[in-house]
């Protein structure tokens, strides 16, 4: 099975385009982003990488994936700042794009129209299965979308969601490994049904105690 097209072998040919790499946590999004950016670097392209200032999990100035394969990046507060930093650049990489504002869609279009190759990595959905930030719109305007998958920790099938294993309703919870597990659609349905039952019986017990 061929997962990624080798269309990116023509690294030296300058053409504006938008590529989106999306999927759940642990799906290898950042690894794939780094792979494409490193190839562009080998082809002597000017590469610049941005990430939202909110994501300070491991290191302030680097895009770091879980296998410690890292590449230098610039943290920015808002998507509009990417335009300011992107003159004379051939390839722009954007990691954790789900945390950016909706303006990112326009920024990526603008860059691609100027002839820049834009490669975006981000979470497609939050832990409840709701499409995340500007990612759905970015998929719509992209020339190419690659959906990557983690493996379901319960059954080994392809995972589709990052299930949160701790009780917390905040949408953004950084720090991953302990708080999330990749699950397929079936195992996710079973997991949330189990949680609902658990919450119901807990409420019942609380009511009985009163
Ligand atoms: Zn499963």
């Amino acid at each position: 099975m061929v997962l990624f097209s080798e269309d990116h072998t023509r690294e030296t040919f300058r053409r504006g385009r938008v590529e989106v790499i999306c999927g759940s946590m642990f799906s290898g999004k950042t690894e794939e982003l780094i792979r494409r950016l490193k190839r562009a670097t080998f082809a002597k392209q000017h590469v610049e990488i941005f990430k939202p200032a909110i994501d300070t999990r491991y290191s302030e100035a680097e895009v770091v994936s879980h296998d410690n394969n890292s590449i230098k990046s610039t943290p920015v507060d808002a998507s509009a700042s990417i335009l300011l930093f992107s003159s004379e650049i051939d390839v722009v990489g954007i990691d954790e794009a789900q945390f950016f504002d909706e303006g990112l869609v326009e920024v990526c279009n603008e860059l691609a129209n100027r002839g820049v190759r834009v490669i975006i990595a981000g979470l497609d959905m939050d832990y409840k299965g709701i499409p995340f930030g500007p990612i759905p719109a970015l998929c719509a305007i992209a020339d190419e979308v690659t959906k990557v998958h983690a493996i379901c920790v319960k059954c080994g099938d392809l995972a589709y969601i990052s299930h949160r294993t701790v009780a917390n309703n905040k949408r953004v919870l950084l720090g991953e490994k302990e708080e999330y597990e990749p699950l397929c659609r079936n195992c996710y349905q079973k997991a949330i049904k189990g949680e609902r039952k658990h919450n119901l019986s807990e409420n019942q017990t609380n009511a009985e105690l009163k």
Side-chain angles (χ1 to χ4, degrees):
M1 186 169 65
V2 179
L3 275 181
F4 305 116
S5 78
E6 286 297 317
D7 186 37
H8 315 290
T9 47
R10 292 170 71 193
E11 310 288 356
T12 49
F13 181 65
R14 187 181 162 95
R15 55 180 169 175
R17 57 191 262 118
V18 177
E19 297 164 28
V20 173
I21 306 158
C22 64
S24 68
M25 285 177 186
F26 315 104
S27 62
K29 300 180 296 293
T30 302
E31 286 83 353
E32 177 56 15
L33 173 70
I34 291 173
R35 189 186 76 90
R36 291 186 195 180
L37 292 173
K38 283 197 166 160
R39 286 169 66 96
T41 310
F42 295 147
K44 308 267 185 289
Q45 301 264 290
H46 290 116
V47 175
E48 197 62 58
I49 305 128
F50 301 96
K51 66 174 185 180
I54 181 180
D55 183 37
T56 52
R57 249 176 313 182
Y58 306 94
S59 143
E60 275 293 327
E62 287 188 328
V63 169
V64 183
S65 67
H66 302 287
D67 62 2
N68 282 334
N69 190 1
S70 66
I71 195 162
K72 268 227 154 64
S73 77
T74 310
V76 288
D77 287 325
S79 62
S81 310
I82 296 172
L83 284 177
L84 301 176
F85 290 116
S86 300
S87 57
E88 311 289 309
I89 299 297
D90 304 304
V91 183
V92 165
I94 300 169
D95 197 27
E96 302 289 355
Q98 74 278 0
F99 293 138
F100 273 108
D101 52 278
E102 296 288 336
L104 186 63
V105 181
E106 233 356 86
V107 168
C108 292
N109 255 334
E110 170 70 26
L111 287 168
N113 293 345
R114 284 187 203 168
V116 176
R117 178 182 172 201
V118 187
I119 313 172
I120 302 152
L123 273 179
D124 48 3
M125 294 180 281
D126 68 7
Y127 74 103
K128 287 179 171 169
I130 297 166
F132 213 141
I135 301 293
L138 287 165
C139 286
I141 60 127
D143 297 84
E144 184 192 297
V145 178
T146 308
K147 187 133 175 170
V148 284
H149 298 272
I151 297 298
C152 174
V153 292
K154 302 272 191 226
C155 75
D157 210 341
L158 287 182
Y160 104 110
I161 199 164
S162 322
H163 174 237
R164 188 177 283 174
T165 53
V166 293
N168 188 326
N169 288 327
K170 258 178 78 184
R171 192 175 202 198
V172 177
L173 204 60
L174 298 173
E176 293 181 50
K177 284 203 163 123
E178 313 79 49
E179 285 96 357
Y180 298 96
E181 60 184 4
L183 293 181
C184 70
R185 196 179 282 275
N186 264 343
C187 294
Y188 177 67
Q189 291 305 321
K190 276 184 211 158
I192 55 170
K193 262 182 209 152
E195 280 163 18
R196 270 188 216 128
K197 253 187 208 159
H198 178 79
N199 290 343
L200 278 178
S201 66
E202 240 179 21
N203 289 344
Q204 224 165 12
T205 321
N206 289 344
E208 280 161 15
L209 284 173
K210 272 178 191 167

